[in-house]
Amino acid sequence: MTDKTMTPEEVVGRLRSGMTLGIGGWGSRRKPMALVRALLRSEITDLTVVSYGGPDVGLLAAAGRIRKLVAAFVTLDSIPLEPHFRAARESGAFALTELDEAMFMWGLHAAANRLPFMPVRAGLGSDVMTVNPGLRTVTSPYEDGETFVAVPALRMDAAFVHLNRADRLGNGQYLGPDPYFDDLFCEAADTAYVSCEQLVDRFARDTAPQSLLVSRHSVTGVVETPNGAHFTSCVPDHDRDEPFQKMYATTPWPAFAERFLSGKSEDDYQQAVRAWHEELR
């Protein structure tokens, strides 16, 4: 038995500038935002970020922490294009590798299975090959002789994911409608850190096995962070905070960062959010 519980600061203390960091979730859904905010309170920079991007990418881009981004999209869902990502990208603040969603998934699969690449049909005949001149094709060695895109493995030094429940050993459970690809992020990374809405001593006997998405063998640390996905959704625990997201998307970065990200802890952020909501009443 191994207790893998950590604080957000202990997780970030294991990272270094220049690393490749994978961030789970999807768009503005079940993102490990408390861990991202802890990262912003550190001096870590020059990151290669791998993500089905949402505000995780927006925050890190606005703060100047990204050297390269590998993504299929960067969206807030109800707001189609993440505005802080867009501003950083338009200014040429970082390099971008943009992949088809399926290509991205198979890149995670390749890394999780310790393969250098995965042959896929996705991307053939599209501009993804033009905007990514480094991509290569391979030919089937069998009678069909078919040509495939050789999607490179998306191997990462570390990964952050957020789940509804986790135990101290590193097993993680999702309770919402979609697992996204959090298990692949954990398996494709050298180290993986799971934040959760609630830490449990054990899962109920009637727990659906398929809901136990992340296994302890691929997890380095576990962090209990209630409301830690805010302002993204983590159903059924909480929906997306749409009013806050809209404010985030329309507020100049310096003003947003000063009010909500200048504190010394996640508690400071959560208190600032509650105070903002009180002002709306």
Side-chain angles (χ1 to χ4, degrees), residues 206-224:
D206 60 352
T207 295
Q210 60 268 32
S211 73
L212 295 174
L213 180 64
V214 173
S215 177
R216 64 182 183 271
H217 77 271
S218 62
V219 173
T220 307
V222 179
V223 185
E224 185 177 39

Side-chain angles (χ1 to χ4, degrees), residues 242-266:
E242 290 287 1
F244 190 92
Q245 175 168 277
K246 183 177 180 180
M247 178 274 294
Y248 160 79
T250 55
T251 300
W253 171 252
F256 180 86
E258 174 62 27
R259 177 161 187 183
F260 297 102
L261 302 176
S262 60
K264 296 182 179 180
S265 69
E266 177 67 10

Side-chain angles (χ1 to χ4, degrees), residues 14-15 19-22 155-160 185-186 188-193 218-221:
R14 291 169 171 250
L15 306 185
M19 279 186 163
T20 297
L21 174 66
R155 191 71 192 162
M156 295 160 280
D157 297 304
F160 291 168
F185 273 97
C186 291
D190 292 339
T191 58
Y193 302 94
S218 62
V219 173
T220 307

Side-chain angles (χ1 to χ4, degrees), residues 145-177:
E146 187 173 354
T147 297
F148 300 94
V149 179
V151 177
L154 295 178
R155 191 71 192 162
M156 295 160 280
D157 297 304
F160 291 168
V161 304
H162 187 81
L163 295 167
N164 299 90
R165 305 289 181 269
D167 66 17
R168 295 177 182 276
L169 303 180
N171 300 297
Q173 180 186 32
Y174 81 102
L175 301 175

